[in-house]
Each structure stands twice: as C-alpha cells, then as structure tokens.
Amino acid sequence: MYFLQLVLKIAFYVTIGTVLSIAGVAIFFMSWEPDRSIYPVRGIDVSHHQGPINWANVATDDVAFVYMKASEGGDFQDRSFSANWSGAGEAGLARGAYHFFSLCRPGELQADNFLGVLPRGEAMLPPVLDIEFEGNCASRPAISDVHKEVSAFVAKVETATGHRVMLYAPGDAYETYLANQGLTRPLWVRSMWRSPDYAGDWTVWQFHQRGSVAGITGDVDLNVLAAGMTLDQLMR
C-alpha cells in the first residue's frame, strides 16, 4: 500500500510539473518581445479582420505606427481601409498602406487596384507589397514570372507616389522569389519569437501574430522598426 501511494504521489507531482511547464512555455511565447532598448519604435498591422478599432486607445498603448491593408489582387479593396486610415491619422499615428500580392494576377493590374485606394497628398510610410504564400492562390509561377510582375507593380506605384515600395515577405516566400533577385527595396520580415535570420538587412520586423493592443478586440500583428531607425526617416 505504501508503495502504491508513493507511485501515485510521484505521478501527481510529475503531472503538475508538466502542466506548469507547458503553461510557462505558453506564457513565454505569448508575451515575448524584442528588446525595447534596441527596438523602441513599435507598430501594428491591421485589416478588416480586426473589426472596428478605437484608434485613440491604440495610440495610448505604445503604438507609434500602423500599416493597414488597402487592397488585394486585381479587384479586392479592404472595406475597413478608409475608416482605419482616417482614425489612425486623427490619433496621430504614422500610417502606411499595404497590398496583398496575388501570384495569379498581373502586377500592373494590381498596382492600379492599390493606387485606386491609396490617399494622395498625405504624409505616409512607404507603400508595401505583401508577398506570401498563406492565403494566396494555388499557383506557384516561375521566379522569372513573379519577378516580372512584382517589378511591374513596384515601378507603377513608385512612379505614382514618388515613394520607394517596401516588400513584406516571410522566409519561405523570400527564399523562393526574392533572394538574390536584385529587388533592392526595403524589406519587412516576419519572424516569430526570435530575431530574423533569412535576411540581414531589414526595415520592419513582424515579431508576433497574436498580440494584444488597447482599442482592438482580438489578436493583432506586432512590429518594430530596425535598430536605430526612426519614423521620420520613412515618412514622406
């Protein structure tokens, strides 16, 4: 009987220890963030998925800049873009817009869609072209074809805005389509819970996809500017 009690006691403590360890790991990953002394400039990116946003509250929660989805592919325009743009501006946040690039549509057509939404004559962060596989069409075109369409998008948007386009690319899309392709544009990288290692020179780092920010219901992506970089260097 004593032996059985000992075994049950050991099993109990092992179970409790395992549960606490798992909880500790979960808390670490949910709360981890880059060193604020190195990356002090914080921002978020949003779309209609976040629903209505209280931008005045967002601005009080250590958020200095925001990127918001403007368009996707050849004809989709984010229904929340106008409200997000005006709300973030009224709250005093630095703003920028991004376009989700479809691998199945011509780059020039997508540029027209983006430019049809993008405000003119207002100070803003660099326009962003979001190139990723998640949520994209099933096609995986040749590198040369993607390079051609991305270049067409970039050329048209840069001519229209006078602003260099920034490219957002997670590691898989970067290695597949952007690495060593001569697309010398500012880069927005994605790396959860650790420093980005697939690109040595980047401008914005998305480090969390389930962050919590005042004024937003539910999860939101969190970002930082590169060390030593300021928003004034990017705004125009």
Side-chain angles (χ1 to χ4, degrees), residues 9-182:
K9 183 178 291 187
I10 292 173
F12 171 77
Y13 285 119
V14 168
T15 301
I16 293 298
T18 301
V19 170
L20 291 175
S21 296
I22 293 173
V25 170
I27 291 171
F28 169 79
F29 283 125
M30 291 304 293
S31 61
W32 183 88
E33 61 178 30
D35 188 334
R36 287 176 177 270
S37 67
I38 302 175
Y39 306 106
V41 186
R42 306 277 159 145
I44 59 175
D45 58 274
V46 301
S47 71
H48 66 277
H49 292 295
Q50 273 67 47
I53 295 174
N54 185 322
W55 287 104
N57 286 354
V58 170
T60 67
D61 198 11
D62 195 25
V63 173
F65 70 94
V66 55
Y67 267 103
M68 54 196 74
K69 185 175 185 178
S71 53
E72 176 177 337
D75 51 18
F76 176 85
Q77 296 179 346
D78 193 288
R79 63 179 179 269
S80 296
F81 178 75
S82 179
N84 285 337
W85 187 265
S86 60
E90 290 169 3
L93 297 172
R95 303 168 293 179
Y98 75 88
H99 173 86
F100 187 93
F101 184 77
S102 170
L103 295 170
C104 299
R105 305 298 297 275
E108 188 169 352
L109 174 67
Q110 297 191 60
D112 287 336
N113 186 30
F114 180 59
L115 292 170
V117 182
L118 191 69
R120 303 296 178 89
E122 299 182 43
M124 66 180 69
L125 297 166
V128 168
L129 183 59
D130 177 352
I131 306 170
E132 57 182 299
F133 294 137
E134 184 177 354
N136 218 308
C137 63
S139 177
R140 295 294 179 264
I143 294 175
S144 58
D145 292 337
V146 173
H147 187 279
K148 174 184 175 183
E149 301 306 335
V150 168
S151 295
F153 179 98
V154 168
K156 188 154 195 175
V157 171
E158 289 185 345
T159 298
T161 64
H163 213 324
R164 293 184 80 203
V165 169
M166 185 186 303
L167 303 177
Y168 170 91
D172 53 356
Y174 178 83
E175 296 294 345
T176 301
Y177 287 128
L178 300 183
N180 304 314
Q181 294 304 309

Side-chain angles (χ1 to χ4, degrees), residues 202-216:
W202 51 266
T203 299
V204 179
W205 168 16
Q206 185 185 85
F207 67 88
H208 209 313
Q209 62 185 358
R210 293 187 175 182
S212 177
V213 169
I216 297 178

Side-chain angles (χ1 to χ4, degrees), residues 165-230:
V165 169
M166 185 186 303
L167 303 177
Y168 170 91
D172 53 356
Y174 178 83
E175 296 294 345
T176 301
Y177 287 128
L178 300 183
N180 304 314
Q181 294 304 309
L183 292 170
T184 53
R185 292 297 182 275
L187 185 64
W188 181 355
V189 295
R190 179 180 186 271
S191 183
M192 305 292 110
W193 309 307
R194 61 189 178 91
S195 298
D197 58 7
Y198 62 87
D201 187 16
W202 51 266
T203 299
V204 179
W205 168 16
Q206 185 185 85
F207 67 88
H208 209 313
Q209 62 185 358
R210 293 187 175 182
S212 177
V213 169
I216 297 178
T217 302
D219 299 333
V220 64
D221 295 335
L222 305 180
N223 304 271
V224 292
L225 288 190
M229 183 164 289
T230 67

